Amino acid sequence: NLPHLKISDIHWKGQESDQNSILFYRINEDEKAEKLFQERIQNSHFAWLIINRDHPSRPINASIIDEKEWPRVQKEILDELYPMPELKLLAVTGTNGKTTTTDLILQIGEFCGKKGLSLG
């Protein structure tokens, strides 16, 4: 839970993050990567930084989390930012009529008070 921070999204690229983002950044174990980390972090904005190991230029608003834990932590953050308690997935396949069928499903769902999204 992140009540004291105004978090709006999660990123893996510093150039896409802003002051309301959580940024995941993997620091490789070589001199070039460590220098690159320092440069990128100085030019990035984020509310919270999650890294895989400590670094001398680690900002105060950073947490070190073992990379093996990243999927679990990312899921927890995404579940907090984008809760989807009753997500249902439908697939429509075939040669003809897929667009019409998905449009009808979305309209019926909307009529019943359900939100929907079509990806194709």
Side-chain angles (χ1 to χ4, degrees):
N1 198 343
L2 307 163
H4 62 286
L5 297 175
K6 184 181 175 189
I7 302 297
S8 62
D9 54 24
I10 181 173
H11 284 281
W12 291 264
K13 294 180 179 179
Q15 66 270 27
E16 294 177 3
S17 66
D18 63 32
Q19 66 275 5
N20 298 318
S21 302
I22 292 179
L23 175 62
F24 279 78
Y25 191 99
R26 183 181 185 278
I27 306 171
N28 291 320
E29 293 189 35
D30 62 65
E31 227 175 278
K32 183 180 175 186
E34 290 189 11
K35 186 176 181 188
L36 188 59
F37 166 75
Q38 189 171 2
E39 290 171 8
R40 286 186 175 165
I41 293 307
Q42 286 176 351
N43 295 318
S44 298
H45 301 283
F46 47 83
W48 202 259
L49 174 67
I50 297 176
I51 53 179
N52 59 315
R53 62 189 185 90
D54 203 2
H55 190 275
S57 62
R58 173 175 55 108
I60 193 164
N61 58 334
S63 295
I64 303 164
I65 298 177
D66 189 298
E67 273 184 86
K68 291 177 242 160
E69 293 295 315
W70 281 26
R72 180 187 61 77
V73 172
Q74 289 169 347
K75 181 186 180 321
E76 288 177 10
I77 293 169
L78 289 170
D79 284 347
E80 185 77 23
L81 290 174
Y82 309 105
M84 292 188 213
E86 295 183 28
L87 180 66
K88 302 286 184 209
L89 179 65
L90 300 173
V92 179
T93 63
T95 305
N96 295 310
K98 294 181 294 296
T99 302
T100 300
T101 302
T102 55
D103 286 346
L104 290 170
I105 291 169
L106 287 172
Q107 289 177 31
I108 292 168
E110 188 175 319
F111 182 74
C112 296
K114 302 291 182 183
K115 292 183 180 180
L117 173 68
S118 175
L119 302 172

